[in-house]
Amino acid sequence: MATRLSDVVTNHDPLDDLSLPGWLYWDEGFFESEKAAFLRAAPQVVCHDNEIPDPGDWRRIDYLGESVIVIRGSDGEVRAFHNVCRHRGSRLVDGKGGCNKLLTCPYHAWSYNREGALVGVPSREDYPNLDLSEWALKPVALEQWRGFYFITLDEGAPSVAEMIAPYDEEIAPYRFEELRPIGRLTLRPRRLNWKTIADNYSDHLHIPVGHPGLTRLFGKSYRIEAMEHVDKMEGDLRDTPSANLSERAYQAFLPRVDHLPETHQQKWLYFKLFPNVAFDIYPDQVDFMQFLPVSATETVIREISYALSDDRREMRAARYLNWRINRQVNAEDTVLIERVQAGMESGAYEPGPLGRSEVCLRSFATRLRKELPQARLPEPRFKGERI
């Protein structure tokens, strides 16, 4: 049946042409609603399989007030547990990662093996009815996708494999399963709402305005598209040498990568999984980034770089130059999004118009209004109220 123009007009939601109201970017009550609606269920990348190759190797992530350990057991299986002792709730481990034969609580020395079982209780006779088998560490749901481990605190979200399925064939040649870390994990606290960062990641209109380096590298080739669970951004490196020394050197040194198709030899790819996990895919390396919400106006950016083994001098140079270029991009973005956050917190801000090309921001705003209908309100009914 043909769609009539009258049907299109009647069914059009006028909010589809507007950005989200500013109060969603600072209101604690709305942030609590986001946590319950989708943030706790959102898959969060913790580490790569190659970062925990041996029994006892573990990595930790803190997310929405919870601390989670991903650890390889003595049997070789990788599991995730809450970083919480079952005795009095103390955190078991600190730091970003390590290797332990036992996870021993620093408070009362209760000990758990690599499979999470309680195996040691000092003054055991003081607990005559204690059944150790009932007091194992609490597990957390874990998914491995192409070598990366993701945890979820609550059920409800699709798997990472389902989310990224529209682009799985494009990602496959990059051989994610073989990646190894080439940098250290960094945590960057920012006084920003997580959506301010996520919006900026998928925003293409600020590229020619706020990122002169990317504009020199891509020209007008930068493109975006939005699927149900993932945004895709991409740009093709120009043949014309950049006027910037680091960019020009990157163009010159970036070597051919034989396992990539010809179309991707000079392509920079960006993907953002709803709501807060992103990865940048370059011919030379892969960067993961998360926007970990802490409060309505606090976020920790968690990131690390990975790459395949490649000892070519040209590849080493390209990776160093990639870091230099993107360090500048990150600095530019930091200034831009701090200005946006300040504006969102102003009483003068009202939702602005979204252009037809802003498909990622349109998709995100529509998704948020669907998940939480109160996002349609121009202002909160009561400041700090959980609606």
Side-chain angles (χ1 to χ4, degrees):
M1 179 182 297
T3 302
R4 296 174 299 177
L5 179 60
S6 59
D7 292 334
V8 175
V9 173
T10 301
N11 296 329
H12 178 71
D13 185 345
L15 292 183
D16 288 345
D17 295 323
L18 293 174
S19 59
L20 295 167
W23 71 273
L24 306 187
Y25 293 76
W26 53 258
D27 185 78
E28 287 291 345
F30 188 75
F31 175 61
E32 292 298 320
S33 296
E34 288 177 321
K35 288 197 291 186
F38 57 84
L39 284 177
R40 283 183 57 88
Q44 302 300 314
V45 64
V46 179
C47 64
H48 192 280
D49 189 62
N50 288 328
E51 292 178 80
I52 49 173
D54 301 317
D57 287 345
W58 58 269
R59 293 294 183 269
R60 172 181 146 220
I61 186 172
D62 292 343
Y63 181 60
L64 298 177
E66 301 288 354
S67 184
V68 177
I69 311 166
V70 171
I71 184 170
R72 188 177 298 277
S74 297
D75 58 358
E77 184 177 344
V78 176
R79 301 172 178 85
F81 301 105
H82 284 280
N83 183 22
V84 177
C85 180
R86 298 298 306 278
H87 180 213
R88 294 295 301 280
S90 171
R91 290 283 187 257
L92 291 170
V93 297
D94 300 311
K96 301 171 184 176
C99 183
N100 292 65
K101 183 175 181 180
L102 294 174
L103 299 173
T104 300
C105 179
Y107 196 17
H108 299 104
W110 283 36
S111 297
Y112 305 83
N113 67 16
R114 295 163 172 172
E115 291 72 49
L118 179 61
V119 294
V121 176
S123 303
R124 178 69 176 81
E125 67 281 359
D126 202 27
Y127 306 89
N129 299 316
L130 182 67
D131 182 350
L132 270 63
S133 66
E134 295 180 357
W135 295 97
L137 295 178
K138 288 195 173 181
V140 177
L142 184 69
E143 175 190 0
Q144 187 190 106
W145 172 76
R146 292 198 174 276
F148 286 95
Y149 290 105
F150 290 75
I151 58 100
T152 49
L153 299 178
D154 290 345
E155 298 179 350
S159 68
V160 175
E162 291 173 311
M163 295 173 72
I164 201 66
Y167 300 110
D168 193 64
E169 289 187 10
E170 184 173 18
I171 293 171
Y174 288 90
R175 293 161 44 184
F176 272 28
E177 295 84 351
E178 302 171 40
L179 291 172
R180 296 182 180 276
I182 59 171
R184 59 186 178 85
L185 178 69
T186 60
L187 302 174
R188 295 189 285 141
R190 293 288 184 265
R191 191 197 170 281
L192 299 164
N193 182 273
W194 69 272
K195 295 186 293 298
T196 307
I197 307 171
D199 286 348
N200 181 75
Y201 189 89
S202 298
D203 180 293
H204 69 301
L205 294 182
H206 82 283
I207 301 295
V209 180
H211 296 309
L214 293 184
T215 302
R216 288 190 293 266
L217 286 173
F218 297 147
K220 297 181 179 180
S221 71
Y222 200 78
R223 303 174 295 280
I224 67 171
E225 59 187 49
M227 295 292 182
E228 182 178 5
H229 303 293
V230 60
D231 294 343
K232 175 188 175 183
M233 289 66 63
E234 64 179 312
D236 298 308
L237 298 176
R238 302 173 65 195
D239 294 331
T240 305
S242 170
N244 175 274
L245 179 61
S246 293
E247 296 158 9
R248 186 167 67 252
Y250 179 82
Q251 291 172 303
F253 281 114
L254 181 64
R256 178 176 179 80
V257 181
D258 290 337
H259 57 267
L260 295 181
E262 203 64 40
T263 53
H264 288 58
Q265 292 291 332
Q266 301 286 315
K267 186 182 293 294
W268 282 17
L269 281 169
Y270 306 87
F271 293 97
K272 185 186 76 180
L273 302 181
F274 181 86
N276 67 321
V277 173
F279 50 101
D280 310 342
I281 305 178
Y282 311 102
D284 45 300
Q285 66 187 60
V286 175
D287 298 346
F288 262 83
M289 181 186 299
Q290 292 155 285
F291 325 125
L292 303 178
V294 178
S295 72
T297 55
E298 299 172 274
T299 303
V300 172
I301 300 176
R302 181 178 185 267
E303 56 190 352
I304 186 172
S305 298
Y306 299 90
L308 298 173
S309 297
D310 192 327
D311 293 330
R312 289 180 291 175
R313 183 171 55 184
E314 296 86 354
M315 183 61 82
R316 292 199 301 270
R319 288 170 179 168
Y320 170 73
L321 293 163
N322 182 312
W323 173 79
R324 284 184 60 91
I325 293 166
N326 279 299
R327 183 178 62 172
Q328 178 62 32
V329 173
N330 289 338
E332 292 162 353
D333 273 331
T334 297
V335 174
L336 293 171
I337 58 182
E338 285 177 350
R339 297 171 71 93
V340 172
Q341 182 68 37
M344 291 295 180
E345 295 178 23
S346 168
Y349 179 74
E350 297 178 357
L354 288 174
R356 292 182 178 180
S357 70
E358 297 180 87
V359 293
C360 294
L361 296 186
R362 282 175 170 270
S363 174
F364 184 80
T366 299
R367 174 75 175 267
L368 207 67
R369 293 180 185 117
K370 179 180 179 181
E371 298 276 358
L372 292 167
Q374 60 264 41
R376 302 176 63 85
L377 299 175
E379 59 185 23
R381 289 179 293 183
F382 301 100
K383 187 175 180 180
E385 176 194 19
R386 181 174 177 177
I387 305 174

